Amino acid sequence: MLRDVLGKTFRFLGYTVQYGCIAHCAFEYLGGIVVCSGPSMEPTIQNSDIVFSENLSRHFYCIRKGDIVIVKSPSDPKSNICKRVIGLEGDKVCTSNPSDFLKSHSYVPKGHVWLEGDNLRNSTDSRCYGPVPYGLIRGRICLKIWPLNDFGFLRASPNGHRFLDD
Protein backbone atom coordinates (compact mmCIF):
# COMPACT_ATOMS: atom_id res chain seq x y z
CA MET A 1 0.00 0.00 0.00
CA LEU A 2 2.77 2.48 0.94
CA ARG A 3 4.62 1.55 -2.25
CA ASP A 4 1.49 2.29 -4.28
CA VAL A 5 1.02 5.73 -2.63
CA LEU A 6 4.72 6.62 -3.09
CA GLY A 7 4.59 5.52 -6.73
CA LYS A 8 1.57 7.71 -7.45
CA THR A 9 3.14 10.66 -5.60
CA PHE A 10 6.43 10.44 -7.53
CA ARG A 11 4.57 9.97 -10.80
CA PHE A 12 2.49 13.09 -10.03
CA LEU A 13 5.64 15.07 -9.15
CA GLY A 14 7.33 13.85 -12.32
CA TYR A 15 4.42 15.01 -14.50
CA THR A 16 4.28 18.33 -12.66
CA VAL A 17 7.98 19.01 -13.29
CA GLN A 18 7.71 17.84 -16.90
CA TYR A 19 4.69 20.04 -17.72
CA GLY A 20 6.20 22.92 -15.76
CA CYS A 21 9.30 22.74 -17.96
CA ILE A 22 7.17 22.66 -21.11
CA ALA A 23 5.17 25.68 -19.92
CA HIS A 24 8.36 27.58 -19.05
CA CYS A 25 9.84 26.93 -22.50
CA ALA A 26 6.60 27.93 -24.22
CA PHE A 27 6.40 31.26 -22.34
CA GLU A 28 10.14 31.97 -22.64
CA TYR A 29 10.64 31.13 -26.32
CA LEU A 30 7.21 31.23 -28.01
CA GLY A 31 5.25 34.00 -26.33
CA GLY A 32 2.51 34.88 -23.94
CA ILE A 33 -0.36 37.13 -22.97
CA VAL A 34 0.48 40.57 -21.54
CA VAL A 35 -1.72 43.16 -19.83
CA CYS A 36 -0.45 46.65 -20.69
CA SER A 37 -0.71 49.50 -18.22
CA GLY A 38 -0.03 53.20 -18.41
CA PRO A 39 -0.68 55.94 -20.96
CA SER A 40 2.64 55.92 -22.85
CA MET A 41 1.42 53.90 -25.87
CA GLU A 42 -1.92 55.68 -26.37
CA PRO A 43 -3.72 55.74 -28.77
CA THR A 44 -2.29 52.45 -30.11
CA ILE A 45 -2.52 50.56 -26.80
CA GLN A 46 -4.77 51.81 -24.00
CA ASN A 47 -4.40 51.17 -20.28
CA SER A 48 -5.51 47.58 -19.42
CA ASP A 49 -5.46 46.36 -23.05
CA ILE A 50 -4.49 42.69 -23.39
CA VAL A 51 -2.00 41.77 -26.12
CA PHE A 52 -0.10 38.73 -27.37
CA SER A 53 3.69 39.01 -27.29
CA GLU A 54 5.77 36.59 -29.36
CA ASN A 55 9.36 35.96 -28.29
CA LEU A 56 10.92 34.32 -31.36
CA SER A 57 11.76 37.65 -33.02
CA ARG A 58 14.15 38.67 -30.27
CA HIS A 59 15.96 35.33 -30.38
CA PHE A 60 16.43 35.54 -34.15
CA TYR A 61 17.27 39.28 -34.12
CA CYS A 62 14.21 40.09 -36.27
CA ILE A 63 13.13 43.24 -34.40
CA ARG A 64 12.51 46.09 -36.87
CA LYS A 65 11.78 49.80 -36.72
CA GLY A 66 8.11 50.34 -35.94
CA ASP A 67 7.71 47.14 -33.89
CA ILE A 68 6.14 47.44 -30.44
CA VAL A 69 8.20 45.51 -27.89
CA ILE A 70 8.05 44.43 -24.27
CA VAL A 71 11.34 45.35 -22.57
CA LYS A 72 12.82 45.01 -19.09
CA SER A 73 12.81 48.58 -17.78
CA PRO A 74 16.34 50.06 -17.75
CA SER A 75 15.44 52.08 -14.64
CA ASP A 76 13.59 49.27 -12.77
CA PRO A 77 14.62 45.72 -13.75
CA LYS A 78 11.67 44.24 -11.83
CA SER A 79 9.15 45.77 -14.24
CA ASN A 80 8.51 45.55 -17.97
CA ILE A 81 7.69 48.42 -20.29
CA CYS A 82 5.92 48.55 -23.64
CA LYS A 83 7.43 50.88 -26.29
CA ARG A 84 7.86 51.25 -30.05
CA VAL A 85 11.26 50.72 -31.71
CA ILE A 86 12.24 54.00 -33.37
CA GLY A 87 15.85 53.16 -34.20
CA LEU A 88 18.19 50.18 -34.44
CA GLU A 89 21.96 50.14 -34.01
CA GLY A 90 23.62 52.66 -36.32
CA ASP A 91 20.40 54.60 -37.01
CA LYS A 92 20.23 58.37 -36.57
CA VAL A 93 17.43 59.30 -34.14
CA CYS A 94 15.88 62.52 -32.91
CA THR A 95 16.71 62.70 -29.19
CA SER A 96 14.72 65.85 -28.38
CA ASN A 97 11.10 66.23 -27.33
CA PRO A 98 8.50 67.21 -29.97
CA SER A 99 7.99 70.59 -28.29
CA ASP A 100 11.70 71.53 -28.43
CA PHE A 101 12.44 74.27 -30.96
CA LEU A 102 15.97 73.05 -31.67
CA LYS A 103 16.12 69.37 -32.57
CA SER A 104 19.05 67.22 -31.45
CA HIS A 105 20.10 63.96 -33.07
CA SER A 106 22.28 61.02 -32.11
CA TYR A 107 23.23 57.58 -33.41
CA VAL A 108 22.08 54.37 -31.75
CA PRO A 109 25.16 52.42 -30.53
CA LYS A 110 25.92 48.83 -31.48
CA GLY A 111 23.76 46.28 -29.63
CA HIS A 112 21.10 48.84 -28.67
CA VAL A 113 17.69 50.10 -29.79
CA TRP A 114 15.96 53.48 -29.41
CA LEU A 115 12.47 53.20 -27.87
CA GLU A 116 9.66 55.73 -27.61
CA GLY A 117 6.04 55.61 -26.53
CA ASP A 118 3.39 56.64 -29.05
CA ASN A 119 2.12 59.23 -26.56
CA LEU A 120 5.24 61.42 -26.76
CA ARG A 121 3.98 63.96 -24.22
CA ASN A 122 3.37 61.30 -21.55
CA SER A 123 6.07 58.68 -22.01
CA THR A 124 9.27 57.88 -20.17
CA ASP A 125 11.44 56.33 -22.87
CA SER A 126 14.85 56.51 -24.56
CA ARG A 127 14.62 60.29 -24.58
CA CYS A 128 14.98 60.00 -20.77
CA TYR A 129 17.19 56.94 -20.23
CA GLY A 130 19.00 56.71 -23.59
CA PRO A 131 19.47 53.73 -25.91
CA VAL A 132 18.34 50.37 -24.51
CA PRO A 133 20.47 47.20 -24.82
CA TYR A 134 18.95 44.66 -27.24
CA GLY A 135 19.26 41.99 -24.53
CA LEU A 136 16.54 43.69 -22.45
CA ILE A 137 13.91 43.01 -25.14
CA ARG A 138 11.52 40.29 -23.92
CA GLY A 139 9.18 40.03 -26.91
CA ARG A 140 7.39 41.74 -29.80
CA ILE A 141 3.70 42.56 -29.54
CA CYS A 142 1.91 41.35 -32.63
CA LEU A 143 -1.77 41.15 -31.73
CA LYS A 144 -4.27 43.00 -29.57
CA ILE A 145 -6.64 40.53 -27.89
CA TRP A 146 -8.77 42.74 -25.64
CA PRO A 147 -10.98 44.73 -25.93
CA LEU A 148 -12.66 42.58 -28.55
CA ASN A 149 -13.73 45.55 -30.69
CA ASP A 150 -10.00 46.31 -31.22
CA PHE A 151 -8.98 42.66 -31.77
CA GLY A 152 -6.33 42.31 -34.47
CA PHE A 153 -2.91 43.46 -35.56
CA LEU A 154 -1.63 46.76 -34.19
CA ARG A 155 -1.74 49.91 -36.28
CA ALA A 156 1.23 51.96 -37.44
CA SER A 157 2.86 54.62 -35.31
CA PRO A 158 1.10 57.97 -35.09
CA ASN A 159 4.62 59.42 -34.89
CA GLY A 160 5.98 58.05 -38.17
CA HIS A 161 7.69 61.38 -38.77
CA ARG A 162 10.12 60.49 -35.93
CA PHE A 163 11.65 57.71 -38.07
CA LEU A 164 14.72 59.18 -39.76
CA ASP A 165 16.12 57.70 -42.95
CA ASP A 166 19.54 59.40 -43.13
Side-chain angles (χ1 to χ4, degrees), residues 60-74:
F60 292 113
Y61 296 93
C62 297
I63 301 295
R64 299 181 315 241
K65 277 198 259 186
D67 287 347
I68 299 174
V69 292
I70 301 292
V71 180
K72 283 278 181 206
S73 172

Side-chain angles (χ1 to χ4, degrees), residues 40 73-75 81-83 115-117 119-129:
S40 72
S73 172
S75 56
I81 57 174
C82 175
K83 304 290 179 199
L115 304 174
E116 291 181 2
N119 185 355
L120 293 173
R121 298 194 191 291
N122 197 3
S123 177
T124 303
D125 48 36
S126 287
R127 293 171 295 152
C128 298
Y129 43 71

Side-chain angles (χ1 to χ4, degrees), residues 44-157:
T44 310
I45 298 174
Q46 305 290 327
N47 191 34
S48 300
D49 279 0
I50 300 174
V51 296
F52 177 75
S53 170
E54 61 86 12
N55 299 348
L56 290 173
S57 293
R58 77 177 170 111
H59 292 294
F60 292 113
Y61 296 93
C62 297
I63 301 295
R64 299 181 315 241
K65 277 198 259 186
D67 287 347
I68 299 174
V69 292
I70 301 292
V71 180
K72 283 278 181 206
S73 172
S75 56
D76 179 14
K78 292 181 181 176
S79 66
N80 292 323
I81 57 174
C82 175
K83 304 290 179 199
R84 189 178 299 271
V85 177
I86 301 297
L88 301 170
E89 64 180 45
D91 287 345
K92 183 179 179 182
V93 292
C94 180
T95 58
S96 55
N97 289 313
S99 58
D100 293 348
F101 181 71
L102 295 173
K103 302 297 181 199
S104 58
H105 296 89
S106 182
Y107 287 93
V108 180
K110 184 175 177 71
H112 290 71
V113 294
W114 189 267
L115 304 174
E116 291 181 2
D118 285 354
N119 185 355
L120 293 173
R121 298 194 191 291
N122 197 3
S123 177
T124 303
D125 48 36
S126 287
R127 293 171 295 152
C128 298
Y129 43 71
V132 176
Y134 192 92
L136 292 182
I137 296 175
R138 306 302 307 147
R140 180 178 64 90
I141 295 177
C142 55
L143 191 68
K144 188 185 287 192
I145 298 172
W146 189 263
L148 282 178
N149 60 334
D150 275 345
F151 180 86
F153 296 104
L154 297 171
R155 59 179 163 248
S157 172

